[in-house]
Amino acid sequence: MDFDAISQCFENYGAIAVFVIVMLEYMNLPGFPAGIIMPMAGIWAANGKLSFLFTMIVSVAGGIAGSWILYVFGRVGGSVFIKAYIKKFPKQQKGIERNFEIIRQKGCIGIFLAKLIPMVRTLISIPAGVLKFNFWKYTVSSALGICVWNFVFVGAGYLFGNQVFDFLHG
């Protein structure tokens, strides 16, 4: 999705679009880049379409929902899912293996920190599910990391978005 497509989705569907697009981004689906999605949500908030607080709540909820979906896939499908995922996305094998180690060594802190690192943040959910990491601890650790990540990017869009928007459409 590009800048204009995301903007059009936000215009047509508002908070629902923010939730769904952020959820899909947290599911690591190609075409949903956080570097565009999150700041666009911030621009929307800055222009009075949604409040900043509501935008944050919706974006964090979307991030948690996307993370839960991957966690459940990992938990239910286990190694079969990991093998299929690696077959489809072979370049991500090293990242997934690294995520297993992060969870084994650091637990909740590892999940929180992983949610702050590009690419790792969306891939940590699958190994957490495979390892049957405690769901509630996973959720709290993920939510805290998602909140920080989204705050930085949505906040950047909120603070600087109109300048970027004017530049892109100027």
Side-chain angles (χ1 to χ4, degrees):
M1 280 193 127
D2 65 6
F3 184 84
D4 291 326
I6 293 167
S7 182
Q8 191 63 42
C9 283
F10 286 177
E11 187 69 39
N12 291 338
Y13 303 105
I16 293 169
V18 172
F19 177 87
V20 170
I21 291 171
V22 170
M23 180 185 72
L24 294 173
E25 190 274 329
Y26 270 89
M27 291 173 62
N28 200 35
L29 295 178
F32 293 93
I36 295 174
I37 293 167
M38 302 297 177
M40 278 297 301
I43 291 169
W44 247 65
N47 289 321
K49 305 290 184 172
L50 302 170
S51 75
F52 180 77
L53 179 61
F54 186 66
T55 302
M56 279 300 301
I57 291 168
V58 170
S59 73
V60 170
I64 292 169
S67 296
W68 280 349
I69 290 168
L70 290 183
Y71 175 91
V72 169
F73 280 151
R75 188 163 184 130
V76 172
S79 61
V80 172
F81 180 75
I82 290 285
K83 286 177 186 175
Y85 188 83
I86 289 171
K87 186 176 181 180
K88 185 169 179 132
F89 304 105
K91 292 180 181 180
Q92 295 181 5
Q93 181 173 357
K94 284 175 101 176
I96 290 172
E97 290 170 358
R98 187 174 350 122
N99 289 342
F100 275 102
E101 287 307 309
I102 289 170
I103 295 167
R104 285 185 189 115
Q105 293 176 5
K106 305 289 183 188
C108 292
I109 299 292
I111 291 170
F112 168 77
L113 293 174
K115 291 292 183 178
L116 303 177
I117 302 170
M119 289 303 293
V120 176
R121 69 190 187 83
T122 56
L123 297 175
I124 197 74
S125 303
I126 298 166
V130 170
L131 293 172
K132 296 183 177 19
F133 194 83
N134 178 284
F135 179 76
W136 295 111
K137 288 181 180 181
Y138 166 78
T139 297
V140 170
S141 300
S142 291
L144 292 172
I146 289 167
C147 192
V148 170
W149 177 272
N150 290 14
F151 181 79
V152 168
F153 281 87
V154 173
Y158 186 82
L159 293 175
F160 306 112
N162 284 329
Q163 296 157 350
V164 173
F165 185 81
D166 292 342
F167 175 77
L168 291 173
H169 288 89

